[in-house]
Amino acid sequence: MGTDVVHVEDTREVVVHAWQARPTSNSAPLPSIPTNQNASSSVCSTSIVLFYQYVDPAWTPSVHKARLKEIISLATSLHVTGRGRCAREGLNCTLTACAENIRKFCEALREVDPVFRETDFKITDNLPATERFKALTLRKVDELVAYGLEGAKAPSLREYGGTHLEATEYHKCLQNPNAVVVDVRNAYETAVGHIRPPPGGAQLVDPRMRNSGEFAAWLNSEETKQKLQGKEVLMYCTGGIRCERATALLNKMTSEDDGFKVQGVSHVRGGIERYLKTFPSGGYWTGMNYLFDRRQEQLPENHNLVDLAGKPMGSDQLAEAIAGEVLSRRETTAAAVEPPQPKCCVCARPYALYRGQFHCAMRECKVPVIVCPACAPKCSRSLLRCPLCTEGYTAPKQRPAFLQNAAMEADATAKSETEFTQGSTSHVGTKFSPNRRIFFGKLPLHVRASTLREFVVRCCDGAVNVERVLWAIDPSTCGFYGSAFVELSSDVEAERVLSQASHVLDKQLAALSRCKKRKRRRPSAGAEDNPLWALKLLGTEKRVKFGFAASISSSQSDGCTFESEIPPLPASCK
Ligand SMILES: [Zn+2]
Ligand SMILES: [Zn+2]
């Protein structure tokens, strides 16, 4: 197994491109179109842009709606595809197009709203055409990162946001023995790769989060406060967005707590992605950078990809080599709180790749887990446990006082909204429960994702956002068998849909049975009031079953799902 340690290079070797420089009050220039590409040529390869922009103070609901519309029409006119999230607190996107149009889009976005003049657009050119997204999906969400801060009520970034450091400055700070490094990503991301400061340098304190919603309570725990007390706090995440609110949260906490003080809070501009581009040999980074797009992971550019015989490593070999590197770095540089280890969760073999969509089977967890190729075909999904669940780790629960108030306010708003639409608060879900998915059963096999979306949205008069539709797949036939999950953007919305859907369907089934009894006569006036749209839409006259997805068997929720417009039928899988 290769255990070659990544070399830490001298900061003098670093080349920072002009466009990476800190934006001034004027917009930073976008990188020029690569010279090997002829913009007017009909054949142009794919470019990708990653960016986020917080808006402080948040957009009003009407401005938010208008911006969403403007951005979609702009992207459509320039043939820009990809996905994004748009909240009142800002925009976060990963978009693809040809090199010229990506730049036109960024320039035009700055005209849509001056706030985008400060945006750090991270453009990568010359990607294969296969990396281009097929469609544009822009979701309207409450929060850009699910910290559970209710977006508009979160600590102001202008007032409390941390200092942005360029990668080279950040690199130097990692050598400071009075500094603490906090990885703001989830534990399963940190396990396969993270920043490990040099011996005698900063202390690594891993928050061991299953999701970002746990961060505020972790920061508020006595144990964490003791570790951060009096230190310079250095945060980082994949692209920088998660650090924005995270640093603001910490600054707000220390401003309100006389007994808890730190020596400055900063994060690396552009996150790990920019750090690794600045330090092509990795710098203080070790392992894989877990990514949520098609690339799946990123390695330092100069990372060794060949085995001892000089042959290129296969993904299996690479996953072992990377895990070996991460584990050996643990031995040479101790951390105050270690992240989980990069190992197969079945056989404990060192392995640093997530493949095959395996998840922890614990109901409240569900994080991705590593299963090596040897264990993958024979493992039982319902027995898989992530490293945190294996050791029985439970995250701190007590959030800072100022957030408890915000959460209560938000909860009260949600409740009153729910009361207004459904006339009862008896089933209002708890705020952070995972019940955002609604299970639908006994569906006709020709049902489509857009049909289910339309049904759910019409049930609630357009007052809900469907995040996605997932088809449940029978593992033996690889086909759809009439069950699906509709994922809403919050559990309050899911509750609303449940109550409305049962109301609509009950009413329509009753009307239908009345129609059948009076076959020879004209349908009653009551039936004419009900155009039976839901039953027509779903293509069924039978009882459609539905309920919270939490009540279904774990094998169904464990990744035997498929996202597409048309469900995969058994016949299509040979
Ligand atoms: Zn294994
Ligand atoms: Zn778990």
Side-chain angles (χ1 to χ4, degrees), residues 80-111:
V80 169
T81 54
R83 50 178 192 232
R85 294 161 65 82
C86 184
R88 284 182 53 202
E89 64 176 9
L91 179 68
N92 177 24
C93 290
T94 304
L95 302 172
T96 53
C98 69
E100 192 189 4
N101 281 7
I102 273 290
R103 286 159 177 81
K104 278 187 185 163
F105 176 85
C106 299
E107 297 287 2
L109 199 57
R110 289 169 168 170
E111 299 305 314

Short mmCIF file of all heavy atoms in Angstrom, two decimals, residues 80-111:
data_model
loop_
_atom_site.label_atom_id
_atom_site.label_comp_id
_atom_site.label_asym_id
_atom_site.label_seq_id
_atom_site.Cartn_x
_atom_site.Cartn_y
_atom_site.Cartn_z
N VAL A 80 -27.33 28.38 -20.16
CA VAL A 80 -26.57 27.98 -18.97
C VAL A 80 -27.38 26.91 -18.24
O VAL A 80 -28.59 27.07 -18.03
CB VAL A 80 -26.33 29.19 -18.04
CG1 VAL A 80 -25.78 28.75 -16.70
CG2 VAL A 80 -25.37 30.18 -18.71
N THR A 81 -26.73 25.80 -17.89
CA THR A 81 -27.41 24.72 -17.16
C THR A 81 -26.70 24.50 -15.83
O THR A 81 -25.62 25.03 -15.60
CB THR A 81 -27.38 23.41 -17.97
OG1 THR A 81 -26.02 23.13 -18.31
CG2 THR A 81 -28.22 23.50 -19.22
N GLY A 82 -27.33 23.70 -14.98
CA GLY A 82 -26.70 23.41 -13.69
C GLY A 82 -27.71 23.48 -12.58
O GLY A 82 -28.91 23.38 -12.82
N ARG A 83 -27.22 23.66 -11.35
CA ARG A 83 -28.18 23.73 -10.27
C ARG A 83 -27.78 24.79 -9.26
O ARG A 83 -26.62 25.19 -9.18
CB ARG A 83 -28.34 22.38 -9.60
CG ARG A 83 -27.05 21.74 -9.22
CD ARG A 83 -27.31 20.43 -8.51
NE ARG A 83 -26.05 20.03 -7.93
CZ ARG A 83 -25.50 18.84 -8.10
NH1 ARG A 83 -26.12 17.93 -8.81
NH2 ARG A 83 -24.36 18.56 -7.54
N GLY A 84 -28.80 25.23 -8.54
CA GLY A 84 -28.53 26.29 -7.58
C GLY A 84 -29.62 26.36 -6.53
O GLY A 84 -30.67 25.73 -6.66
N ARG A 85 -29.32 27.10 -5.48
CA ARG A 85 -30.28 27.33 -4.42
C ARG A 85 -30.40 28.83 -4.24
O ARG A 85 -29.39 29.53 -4.24
CB ARG A 85 -29.79 26.69 -3.11
CG ARG A 85 -29.72 25.17 -3.15
CD ARG A 85 -28.82 24.63 -2.07
NE ARG A 85 -29.31 24.88 -0.72
CZ ARG A 85 -30.24 24.15 -0.11
NH1 ARG A 85 -30.76 23.11 -0.72
NH2 ARG A 85 -30.63 24.45 1.11
N CYS A 86 -31.62 29.29 -4.16
CA CYS A 86 -31.82 30.73 -4.02
C CYS A 86 -32.71 30.96 -2.80
O CYS A 86 -33.83 30.47 -2.74
CB CYS A 86 -32.46 31.28 -5.29
SG CYS A 86 -32.64 33.06 -5.26
N ALA A 87 -32.18 31.68 -1.83
CA ALA A 87 -32.92 31.98 -0.61
C ALA A 87 -33.02 33.49 -0.48
O ALA A 87 -32.37 34.22 -1.23
CB ALA A 87 -32.22 31.40 0.60
N ARG A 88 -33.78 33.96 0.48
CA ARG A 88 -33.82 35.40 0.71
C ARG A 88 -32.45 35.89 1.14
O ARG A 88 -32.10 37.03 0.93
CB ARG A 88 -34.87 35.73 1.78
CG ARG A 88 -36.29 35.65 1.24
CD ARG A 88 -37.28 36.04 2.31
NE ARG A 88 -36.95 37.33 2.88
CZ ARG A 88 -37.34 37.76 4.07
NH1 ARG A 88 -38.09 36.99 4.83
NH2 ARG A 88 -37.00 38.95 4.51
N GLU A 89 -31.63 34.98 1.72
CA GLU A 89 -30.30 35.39 2.18
C GLU A 89 -29.24 35.28 1.09
O GLU A 89 -28.09 35.59 1.35
CB GLU A 89 -29.90 34.56 3.40
CG GLU A 89 -29.75 33.08 3.09
CD GLU A 89 -29.24 32.27 4.29
OE1 GLU A 89 -29.16 32.81 5.39
OE2 GLU A 89 -28.94 31.08 4.08
N GLY A 90 -29.60 34.84 -0.13
CA GLY A 90 -28.60 34.82 -1.19
C GLY A 90 -28.75 33.71 -2.20
O GLY A 90 -29.81 33.09 -2.32
N LEU A 91 -27.65 33.48 -2.94
CA LEU A 91 -27.66 32.55 -4.06
C LEU A 91 -26.40 31.69 -4.03
O LEU A 91 -25.32 32.17 -3.72
CB LEU A 91 -27.71 33.36 -5.36
CG LEU A 91 -27.70 32.62 -6.69
CD1 LEU A 91 -29.00 31.83 -6.88
CD2 LEU A 91 -27.52 33.60 -7.85
N ASN A 92 -26.56 30.40 -4.35
CA ASN A 92 -25.42 29.47 -4.41
C ASN A 92 -25.62 28.59 -5.63
O ASN A 92 -26.65 27.94 -5.75
CB ASN A 92 -25.40 28.63 -3.12
CG ASN A 92 -24.29 27.60 -3.13
OD1 ASN A 92 -23.29 27.76 -3.82
ND2 ASN A 92 -24.46 26.53 -2.36
N CYS A 93 -24.65 28.61 -6.57
CA CYS A 93 -24.85 27.89 -7.84
C CYS A 93 -23.62 27.13 -8.30
O CYS A 93 -22.49 27.52 -8.03
CB CYS A 93 -25.20 28.87 -8.96
SG CYS A 93 -26.81 29.62 -8.82
N THR A 94 -23.87 26.06 -9.03
CA THR A 94 -22.86 25.35 -9.81
C THR A 94 -23.43 25.29 -11.22
O THR A 94 -24.44 24.62 -11.44
CB THR A 94 -22.65 23.92 -9.27
OG1 THR A 94 -22.30 24.01 -7.89
CG2 THR A 94 -21.55 23.20 -10.02
N LEU A 95 -22.83 26.03 -12.16
CA LEU A 95 -23.42 26.15 -13.49
C LEU A 95 -22.42 25.80 -14.58
O LEU A 95 -21.21 25.99 -14.40
CB LEU A 95 -23.92 27.58 -13.71
CG LEU A 95 -24.96 28.11 -12.70
CD1 LEU A 95 -25.20 29.59 -12.93
CD2 LEU A 95 -26.26 27.33 -12.78
N THR A 96 -22.95 25.31 -15.70
CA THR A 96 -22.08 24.99 -16.84
C THR A 96 -22.62 25.66 -18.11
O THR A 96 -23.81 25.89 -18.24
CB THR A 96 -22.00 23.47 -17.08
OG1 THR A 96 -23.33 22.94 -17.19
CG2 THR A 96 -21.28 22.75 -15.96
N ALA A 97 -21.71 25.95 -19.02
CA ALA A 97 -22.03 26.50 -20.34
C ALA A 97 -20.70 26.56 -21.08
O ALA A 97 -19.69 26.09 -20.56
CB ALA A 97 -22.64 27.89 -20.23
N CYS A 98 -20.69 27.15 -22.29
CA CYS A 98 -19.40 27.31 -22.95
C CYS A 98 -18.68 28.49 -22.31
O CYS A 98 -19.30 29.31 -21.62
CB CYS A 98 -19.56 27.48 -24.45
SG CYS A 98 -20.31 29.02 -24.93
N ALA A 99 -17.38 28.57 -22.52
CA ALA A 99 -16.55 29.56 -21.81
C ALA A 99 -17.08 30.98 -21.96
O ALA A 99 -17.10 31.75 -21.00
CB ALA A 99 -15.12 29.47 -22.34
N GLU A 100 -17.56 31.31 -23.15
CA GLU A 100 -18.01 32.68 -23.39
C GLU A 100 -19.31 32.97 -22.64
O GLU A 100 -19.44 34.01 -21.99
CB GLU A 100 -18.21 32.87 -24.91
CG GLU A 100 -18.39 34.32 -25.29
CD GLU A 100 -18.81 34.50 -26.74
OE1 GLU A 100 -19.03 33.48 -27.43
OE2 GLU A 100 -18.92 35.66 -27.16
N ASN A 101 -20.25 32.04 -22.72
CA ASN A 101 -21.55 32.29 -22.09
C ASN A 101 -21.48 32.29 -20.56
O ASN A 101 -22.23 33.01 -19.91
CB ASN A 101 -22.58 31.25 -22.56
CG ASN A 101 -23.10 31.60 -23.95
OD1 ASN A 101 -22.60 32.53 -24.58
ND2 ASN A 101 -24.10 30.87 -24.41
N ILE A 102 -20.58 31.49 -20.00
CA ILE A 102 -20.43 31.48 -18.55
C ILE A 102 -20.02 32.88 -18.09
O ILE A 102 -20.53 33.42 -17.12
CB ILE A 102 -19.37 30.42 -18.12
CG1 ILE A 102 -20.03 29.07 -17.94
CG2 ILE A 102 -18.62 30.82 -16.87
CD1 ILE A 102 -20.95 28.92 -16.75
N ARG A 103 -19.10 33.49 -18.84
CA ARG A 103 -18.63 34.83 -18.48
C ARG A 103 -19.72 35.87 -18.70
O ARG A 103 -19.89 36.79 -17.89
CB ARG A 103 -17.37 35.16 -19.27
CG ARG A 103 -16.17 34.40 -18.73
CD ARG A 103 -15.04 34.30 -19.74
NE ARG A 103 -13.88 33.62 -19.17
CZ ARG A 103 -13.76 32.29 -19.07
NH1 ARG A 103 -14.74 31.50 -19.47
NH2 ARG A 103 -12.68 31.75 -18.54
N LYS A 104 -20.47 35.71 -19.81
CA LYS A 104 -21.58 36.64 -20.07
C LYS A 104 -22.60 36.56 -18.93
O LYS A 104 -23.15 37.57 -18.50
CB LYS A 104 -22.28 36.28 -21.39
CG LYS A 104 -21.59 36.83 -22.62
CD LYS A 104 -22.47 36.57 -23.84
CE LYS A 104 -21.76 36.99 -25.12
NZ LYS A 104 -22.40 36.37 -26.30
N PHE A 105 -22.84 35.34 -18.46
CA PHE A 105 -23.81 35.16 -17.38
C PHE A 105 -23.35 35.89 -16.12
O PHE A 105 -24.11 36.62 -15.48
CB PHE A 105 -24.00 33.66 -17.08
CG PHE A 105 -24.92 33.39 -15.92
CD1 PHE A 105 -26.29 33.34 -16.09
CD2 PHE A 105 -24.40 33.20 -14.64
CE1 PHE A 105 -27.14 33.11 -15.02
CE2 PHE A 105 -25.24 32.98 -13.56
CZ PHE A 105 -26.62 32.93 -13.75
N CYS A 106 -22.08 35.71 -15.76
CA CYS A 106 -21.55 36.35 -14.54
C CYS A 106 -21.63 37.87 -14.66
O CYS A 106 -22.02 38.55 -13.71
CB CYS A 106 -20.11 35.91 -14.29
SG CYS A 106 -19.94 34.14 -14.02
N GLU A 107 -21.25 38.39 -15.84
CA GLU A 107 -21.31 39.84 -16.05
C GLU A 107 -22.75 40.34 -15.92
O GLU A 107 -23.01 41.34 -15.27
CB GLU A 107 -20.78 40.21 -17.45
CG GLU A 107 -19.31 39.87 -17.70
CD GLU A 107 -18.34 40.79 -16.97
OE1 GLU A 107 -18.81 41.68 -16.24
OE2 GLU A 107 -17.12 40.60 -17.13
N ALA A 108 -23.67 39.60 -16.54
CA ALA A 108 -25.07 40.03 -16.53
C ALA A 108 -25.66 39.95 -15.12
O ALA A 108 -26.50 40.76 -14.74
CB ALA A 108 -25.88 39.17 -17.50
N LEU A 109 -25.21 38.96 -14.35
CA LEU A 109 -25.70 38.81 -12.98
C LEU A 109 -25.35 40.05 -12.15
O LEU A 109 -26.12 40.49 -11.31
CB LEU A 109 -25.09 37.55 -12.37
CG LEU A 109 -25.78 36.96 -11.15
CD1 LEU A 109 -27.23 36.62 -11.45
CD2 LEU A 109 -25.05 35.71 -10.68
N ARG A 110 -24.19 40.62 -12.43
CA ARG A 110 -23.77 41.82 -11.71
C ARG A 110 -24.68 43.00 -12.02
O ARG A 110 -24.78 43.93 -11.24
CB ARG A 110 -22.32 42.17 -12.09
CG ARG A 110 -21.33 41.18 -11.51
CD ARG A 110 -19.96 41.39 -12.09
NE ARG A 110 -18.95 40.63 -11.34
CZ ARG A 110 -17.70 40.48 -11.74
NH1 ARG A 110 -17.29 41.03 -12.86
NH2 ARG A 110 -16.85 39.79 -11.01
N GLU A 111 -25.31 42.94 -13.21
CA GLU A 111 -26.26 43.99 -13.57
C GLU A 111 -27.62 43.74 -12.92
O GLU A 111 -28.34 44.68 -12.60
CB GLU A 111 -26.44 44.06 -15.10
CG GLU A 111 -25.16 44.37 -15.86
CD GLU A 111 -24.50 45.66 -15.37
OE1 GLU A 111 -25.22 46.66 -15.20
OE2 GLU A 111 -23.27 45.64 -15.15
#
